Amino acid sequence: MVIGRIADGIVQGVEDASAALSESLFEPVIRIGVTGFARAGKTVFITSLVANLMDRGRMPGLVSAADGAIVGAWLQPQPDDTVPRFAFESHLAALTGPAPHWPQPTSAVSELRLSLKVQPRGFMGSFSGPRTIHLDIIDYPGEWLLDLQLLERSYDDWSSEILQRAADRPSAAGFLQALESVDGDAEVTEPAAQALAAAYIGYLGAAREAGFSDCTPGRFLMPGEMAGSPALTFAPMPPQEARAPRGSLRREMERRYESYKAKVVKPFFRDHFARIDRQIVLVDLLGAIHAGPKAVEDLGRSMNDILGAFRPGRNAWLTRLLGAKRVERILFAATKADHIHHTQHGQVTAIMEAMLRQARDRADFAGARTNAMAIAALRATVEETRTVEGRELGMVRGRLESGKEAVLYPGTLPEDPSRLLVPAREGAERWLDGDYSVMRFAPAPGTLKPGEGPPHIRLDRAAEFLFGDRLK
Ligand SMILES: Nc1nc2c(ncn2[C@@H]2O[C@H](COP(=O)(O)OP(=O)(O)O)[C@@H](O)[C@H]2O)c(=O)[nH]1
Ligand SMILES: [Mg+2]
């Protein structure tokens, strides 16, 4: 056990440990993980959260901001020297500058430290001076969490599973053909390995486009700084009775798969995931509803897969790594709620809660508090009500990315979540009750006022759930 931990690099230097100890006594650190699949809204969320914590005029739902306990907030160098810093300034400039636009997509882990000066309120507060509390915010792709499953799977097991699923997917045709044309027992050459990996990555991209998110290895579509390295240049191959000969293509693919697990997956869980105290999982639920029942079902399944990482006991290696440490709170937030009128936010929350309940029913999170809500990290629309054929309809108005103004009536979400979730589970092709539309609104110009961060919906409530209790 002890040996295993040393081998996994868990034991920190003595200096490190004592620094961490004094920091935790006097200046507590809360590590907040922000995850979700690509385009879920992680970058926009972190940018707006940090801006709204620095200028707290729009944060009445964060108790310690509303009652004045937070007396200051500033950015600091983060503690992890080798993790890219979250590009807060340039993302904020994109969102709130003279020609506001959405930030560039990102595909790797990044981190930011925001420090808060907090003067505790109430009776106890009058005895103590202000405290400093550090929020370390870690942005990482949800796709990477799916890799946890690989740790307990051999190359052959993983290959058979992937190939079985690929068998009846049209998007896999190219890759399957590429597999046919190689001889796994032949001596490996780098061009052959690269060609096969490229065909596999092509398939994963197409599968994701088609709405599937069971796309392991998670780094193949989100390579970060590792694009092109051997650990990311392999593909599944059909298992054979006999072990592949030394130096063969199949043997090399197996070696790289093992290397991916040891050098990519494990370090991520060890260095980032294992240290998270509070977690927010962002979900583009409205986008999935717009795409149809199959996308909603797939989203539910992949939420469940993501959550696997937060269930102690599910994976022996992770359980050993975490020891007694647990994520204390997990928030599931449906993003981009500014696409719909507030009269429908309750329905979005109900659908999120129902999806979460399904995931929760399969296993619990061992004491972690969970919550679901609908938020917009950056509100790009204003609401208006129009009377159409004698009926009052709540709509949203915003500027499209083309610069044109548009009014959107996205459709009415059902009060009862099962009206969406049951057809999704039953594999329906389309919604019976109607269509749900989304538009890509651009961030609105001129929204910043002195003392206020960017406009949002329930970002303050999300913050209160995530770390409000630690600021009191
Ligand atoms: N209307 C609206 N769109 C959003 C919001 N957050 C994200 N988006 C959209 O979602 C896209 C992806 O967001 P981003 O934060 O880059 O996602 P990430 O890949 O998870 O980091 C953005 O380019 C926007 O088009 C929001 O609060 N409101
Ligand atoms: Mg991002």
Side-chain angles (χ1 to χ4, degrees), residues 216-239:
T216 55
R219 290 288 165 114
F220 277 32
L221 293 178
M222 287 273 142
E225 74 290 357
M226 289 200 184
S229 61
L232 265 60
T233 308
F234 64 91
M237 296 186 77

Side-chain angles (χ1 to χ4, degrees), residues 283 285 303 332-334 348-356 372-373:
V283 180
L285 177 61
M303 255 170 80
F332 299 89
V348 179
T349 309
I351 298 166
M352 274 308 280
E353 276 171 348
M355 291 173 87
L356 176 58
M373 58 177 79

Side-chain angles (χ1 to χ4, degrees), residues 32-36 42 45-46 137-141 279-280 282:
I32 302 165
V34 179
T35 198
K42 300 177 291 292
F45 173 82
I46 296 174
I137 303 174
I138 299 106
D139 171 358
Y140 67 93
Q279 177 69 50
I280 180 166
L282 300 172

Side-chain angles (χ1 to χ4, degrees), residues 37-44 86 91 103-108 110 139:
F37 291 126
R39 320 299 292 147
K42 300 177 291 292
T43 303
V44 177
F86 180 85
H91 294 321
Q104 287 299 314
T106 50
S107 69
S110 66
D139 171 358

Side-chain angles (χ1 to χ4, degrees), residues 232-294:
L232 265 60
T233 308
F234 64 91
M237 296 186 77
Q240 308 290 333
E241 283 292 311
R243 184 137 196 247
R246 278 168 151 265
S248 66
L249 177 64
R250 188 155 61 88
R251 184 80 160 253
E252 176 65 7
M253 291 281 160
E254 177 177 359
R255 191 194 67 76
R256 291 182 184 188
Y257 171 84
E258 292 302 333
S259 165
Y260 177 81
K261 286 174 16 180
K263 304 217 170 92
V264 180
V265 182
K266 284 189 173 182
F268 164 69
F269 278 93
R270 187 186 63 214
D271 300 341
H272 303 293
F273 183 80
R275 297 162 63 208
I276 287 168
D277 303 306
R278 309 283 168 101
Q279 177 69 50
I280 180 166
V281 181
L282 300 172
V283 180
D284 186 5
L285 177 61
L286 294 172
I289 293 175
H290 167 64
K294 287 210 154 55

